[in-house]
Amino acid sequence: MLKPEEENDAPVLREDQDKINRFACLNSRVADIQAKFEDKKSYLEVLADASDEVTLADEDGIKFRFGDGFCDVGSDEAEEMVTAVIEATTAERDQLEDQLAGIRAEMADLKAQLYAKFGQSINLES
C-alpha cells in the first residue's frame, strides 16, 4: 500500500485507460513473441547440429524429413536443404527480434507517459 505522500489522485481519463490497456496487450504480445523467439533459437541449435552431422556423414543416402515422412537424399543436397532451412529460420528469428524491439520501445513510451501522470500509484512492471 502506498504512503499518503506517494498517492496520486490524478483522474483516470478514457485516454489513460486506453494507454493502460494498450500496455497490457503489448505486454502479452511480448510474452508470446518471446516464446516463439526462444523456440526459433532452440530450433537453430538443432539445425546447427544437423548441419554438422550432414557434413560428417559419408553416406550417399541421408534421410531428410519432409512433413511426416523421410526421403533419401544425397549428402550435398541434404547440406543445401539444411542450409536453406537455417537461413529461413534465422530470418524468422530476426523478424521476431525486430518485432520485440518495436513493441518494447512502444511499451517504454507508454510507461513513461503513465508514470509521469500517475507516479507510484500505478504498477507497470511485468
Side-chain angles (χ1 to χ4, degrees):
M1 187 146 180
L2 293 176
K3 297 175 186 172
E5 62 271 6
E6 292 177 344
E7 288 185 15
N8 186 341
D9 291 334
V12 180
L13 303 175
R14 173 72 181 164
E15 62 187 40
D16 298 328
Q17 188 62 50
D18 290 343
K19 289 177 184 178
I20 293 168
N21 291 343
R22 177 76 179 149
F23 185 88
C25 289
L26 291 173
N27 196 34
S28 176
R29 280 189 61 205
V30 163
D32 292 343
I33 294 173
Q34 186 69 39
K36 289 178 186 177
F37 179 81
E38 293 300 325
D39 288 345
K40 296 290 180 192
K41 191 174 166 183
S42 297
Y43 187 50
L44 281 170
E45 291 173 7
V46 170
L47 288 171
D49 291 343
S51 178
D52 293 343
E53 290 296 323
V54 167
T55 303
L56 296 174
D58 292 335
E59 302 172 20
D60 287 336
I62 296 175
K63 298 208 179 291
F64 198 87
R65 182 177 177 184
F66 290 99
D68 291 333
F70 293 89
C71 292
D72 285 331
V73 295
S75 60
D76 291 339
E77 188 178 358
E79 206 169 320
E80 290 173 11
M81 295 167 86
V82 170
T83 301
V85 173
I86 288 173
E87 290 171 359
T89 305
T90 301
E92 292 171 9
R93 185 204 57 200
D94 292 345
Q95 182 182 16
L96 290 172
E97 194 171 31
D98 292 343
Q99 286 178 2
L100 280 172
I103 291 171
R104 287 185 174 138
E106 185 177 351
M107 287 176 69
D109 182 47
L110 288 170
K111 188 185 283 190
Q113 292 174 28
L114 291 167
Y115 275 133
K117 181 167 184 176
F118 298 108
Q120 295 299 316
S121 295
I122 190 167
N123 182 10
L124 298 174
E125 303 304 319
S126 50

